[in-house]
Amino acid sequence: VIRCRAAVAWAVGKPLSVEEVEVAPPKAGEVRVKIVATGICHTDEHILEGSFPDVDFPVIPGHEGAGIVESVGEGVTSVKPGDKVIPLCLPQCGECSFCLNPESNYCLKCHVSEPQTVLPDKTSRFTCKGKQIHHFLWVSTFAEYTVVPEYAVAKIDAAAPLDKVCLLACGFSTGYGAAINTAKVKPGSTCAVFGLGGVGLSVVMGCKAAGASRIIAIDINKDKFAKAKELGATHCISPHDFKKPIQEVLTEMTGHGVDYSFEVIGRADTMTAALASCNMNTGVCVMVGVPASGSVISFDPMLVLSGRTWKGTLLGGWKMRDCIPKLVASYLEKKFNSDVLITHTLPIAKVNEGFELLRAGKSIRTVLLF
């Protein structure tokens, strides 16, 4: 058993508490990882707000981490102690019908199919003050040591800087992949991106990499416009500056709507606006933002009857165990620069400061270091 620090969420709406926790050794098929760095993603904020009713408290959040294998359980062959790894919040078991489908990046072991507040054997590896602490998505990267199933961890290049590539575990990969894999943005096309947080800016980078000629970035926080332009946005607009709905503004700007639109906020009203803003016949709208549990969307069916495509994306469409090592290799080859998304770096003891920066719209990504 290892004793270490972890940021524990004891209850909904309460600040995280940095505690000493005990982390049990890995069982068969499991890997214990020393987390070096982890990003704060908006999904972690959703846990603290209580937006996910299937998350049990107390829990250790965090799912955008990178670290080093400390020990492995019986039967683990793909990683060994000392390997640099990224724990995966979307597993890839390699055996289910989704994993065997080359066009799918879903896995039946994923949190949408089975709850992941304890490990697959229905027990936790975390205890604190004599109480069992729940896992989050099997990864719980706000703990200095965490235990994950082997199929929820990817070995990466030993040269990778862990305090930078941790973003590839969720935020960057989700946004970049939404443009490249899910929408399959074509060169010369027009794109609209709703929401300019870390994931939205990664969508902008993906659209630019795919060769889009116009990238219209939309946010009510104009402080984010400079960074969006630096990363490839050609226009930045705020819905607050117009008296008419934003979809009408975008249609006027482009003639017939954009070729591709991306909703990266997670709100029902902006999802329908994003759909309506793309070309009525050939437009593709991709849902990237995570809506609150129980959200319902009502929209005019003519919006899709005329030919639009409306689709969602899970972690940017990447098969995580296969693709994360390749994305890390691309990062090392400087094919993209996800470092520009990191605005703040804090020690784990200041985790609550990181969340305050997020809520105030002052950070894109805060990376926590152990």
Side-chain angles (χ1 to χ4, degrees):
V1 174
I2 287 178
R3 284 179 177 77
C4 66
R5 290 168 299 160
V8 179
W10 290 100
V12 169
K14 295 278 194 298
L16 287 159
S17 177
V18 177
E19 308 274 7
E20 182 180 85
V21 298
E22 290 90 42
V23 185
K27 295 184 182 178
E30 296 176 353
V31 179
R32 187 159 61 180
V33 179
K34 177 179 169 53
I35 298 292
V36 172
T38 180
I40 297 179
C41 174
H42 223 111
T43 306
D44 300 309
E45 167 71 349
H46 290 328
I47 301 174
L48 304 183
E49 293 168 344
S51 300
F52 299 139
D54 53 351
V55 171
D56 295 320
F57 288 80
V59 62
I60 296 174
H63 63 284
E64 201 175 75
I68 297 162
V69 175
E70 178 271 334
S71 58
V72 298
E74 187 186 334
V76 171
T77 56
S78 61
V79 293
K80 63 184 185 306
D83 285 347
K84 283 188 177 179
V85 291
I86 287 180
L88 310 173
C89 55
L90 178 62
Q92 186 186 341
C93 73
E95 296 167 355
C96 71
S97 59
F98 285 92
C99 282
L100 294 172
N101 178 348
E103 294 184 3
S104 160
N105 78 316
Y106 188 72
C107 173
L108 285 173
K109 298 248 182 354
C110 148
H111 56 92
V112 185
S113 292
E114 62 177 77
Q116 294 183 6
T117 58
V118 285
L119 288 184
D121 71 350
K122 307 297 180 236
T123 63
S124 169
R125 300 293 166 273
F126 297 125
T127 50
C128 179
K129 298 177 179 170
K131 289 185 79 166
Q132 171 183 290
I133 308 293
H134 292 92
H135 294 248
F136 176 60
L137 303 182
W138 288 341
V139 290
S140 290
T141 57
F142 287 1
E144 194 172 3
Y145 286 86
T146 190
V147 178
V148 296
E150 181 181 13
Y151 47 74
V153 68
K155 180 182 174 181
I156 59 170
D157 194 309
L162 298 175
D163 60 331
K164 302 290 193 285
V165 298
C166 58
L167 266 58
L168 274 55
C170 175
F172 175 77
S173 303
T174 297
Y176 195 75
I180 303 276
N181 300 327
T182 309
K184 297 183 169 59
V185 169
K186 294 191 178 95
S189 59
T190 303
C191 302
V193 182
F194 289 71
L196 301 177
V199 182
L201 290 170
S202 300
V203 174
V204 170
M205 293 166 81
C207 292
K208 186 182 181 191
S213 60
R214 288 179 83 187
I215 302 169
I216 305 165
I218 303 135
D219 204 298
I220 56 174
N221 181 352
K222 293 184 179 181
D223 293 345
K224 296 182 174 179
F225 289 176
K227 183 73 79 175
K229 286 193 167 163
E230 181 191 329
L231 296 178
T234 55
H235 305 73
C236 293
I237 58 176
S238 165
H240 288 171
D241 289 345
F242 302 93
K243 293 215 163 46
K244 60 182 76 165
I246 196 69
Q247 56 266 39
E248 291 180 21
V249 176
L250 288 164
T251 303
E252 285 174 13
M253 284 175 73
T254 55
H256 297 287
V258 296
D259 298 307
Y260 305 95
S261 63
F262 301 85
E263 200 279 355
V264 205
I265 303 163
R267 290 171 48 126
D269 57 343
T270 42
M271 285 178 184
T272 47
L275 178 67
S277 70
C278 67
N279 183 296
M280 67 182 288
N281 180 234
T282 56
V284 174
C285 175
V286 180
M287 263 191 229
V288 192
V290 180
S293 183
S295 297
V296 175
I297 295 178
S298 56
F299 69 101
D300 180 350
M302 283 303 294
L303 285 172
V304 288
L305 190 66
S306 59
R308 287 182 179 90
T309 302
W310 203 4
K311 60 204 302 191
T313 186
L314 201 58
L315 267 296
W318 308 101
K319 277 190 185 289
M320 295 293 275
R321 281 193 91 191
D322 294 345
C323 295
I324 286 292
K326 295 173 185 169
L327 276 170
V328 170
S330 295
Y331 167 86
L332 291 170
E333 290 162 15
K334 296 188 165 46
K335 290 187 176 168
F336 54 79
N337 181 15
S338 49
D339 294 1
V340 292
L341 302 173
I342 301 171
T343 51
H344 299 77
T345 304
L346 295 171
I348 188 68
K350 294 189 175 179
V351 59
N352 289 311
E353 275 185 41
F355 277 93
E356 289 303 328
L357 289 164
L358 175 77
R359 291 172 196 132
K362 290 180 178 168
S363 66
I364 296 170
R365 263 302 182 270
T366 296
V367 171
L368 302 170
L369 301 177
F370 282 98

